Amino acid sequence: MATQDPENSAAEIERCVTKLGIRGVNLLSHSENEYLDNQKFWAIFAAAEKLDVPIYIHPAIPSTKILGGYEDYGFPLAGPILGFAAICRCIPCA
């Protein structure tokens, strides 16, 4: 699901679920250097909640804003480590 336009993304979720029978939504962890916890993306989550479909947040290479702090250490180290950390953050602890 493209998240650059959250309102259209929400409408697309509704179309895909109601007309095509899609059973879930796949999102990248951020869009254009903005993370999904930004209020502008709430329409996407509201649409999925309304239709009772799950959202899978696929971890992506961190945005350039986040990676800026790791420039001295090299990009190859920052990408996998932060990607793994994003996955771990999504796993609930018992």
Side-chain angles (χ1 to χ4, degrees), residues 12-90:
E12 183 66 1
I13 290 170
E14 185 161 356
R15 184 187 76 83
C16 289
V17 171
T18 60
K19 296 188 178 183
L20 303 177
I22 301 298
R23 298 182 182 175
V25 178
N26 183 21
L27 302 174
L28 289 177
S29 59
H30 58 83
S31 175
E32 299 178 335
N33 284 325
E34 293 184 289
Y35 284 92
L36 298 178
D37 61 348
N38 186 316
Q39 190 171 356
K40 79 181 234 179
F41 297 111
W42 288 6
I44 295 170
F45 293 99
E49 181 179 23
K50 174 184 162 192
L51 296 163
D52 196 29
V53 294
I55 294 176
Y56 171 70
I57 300 177
H58 189 286
I61 293 174
S63 73
T64 53
K65 283 182 179 178
I66 296 293
L67 287 178
Y70 293 91
E71 288 174 344
D72 293 340
Y73 303 104
F75 178 79
L77 291 176
I81 291 171
L82 291 178
F84 179 73
I87 291 170
C88 291
R89 235 179 124 186
C90 294

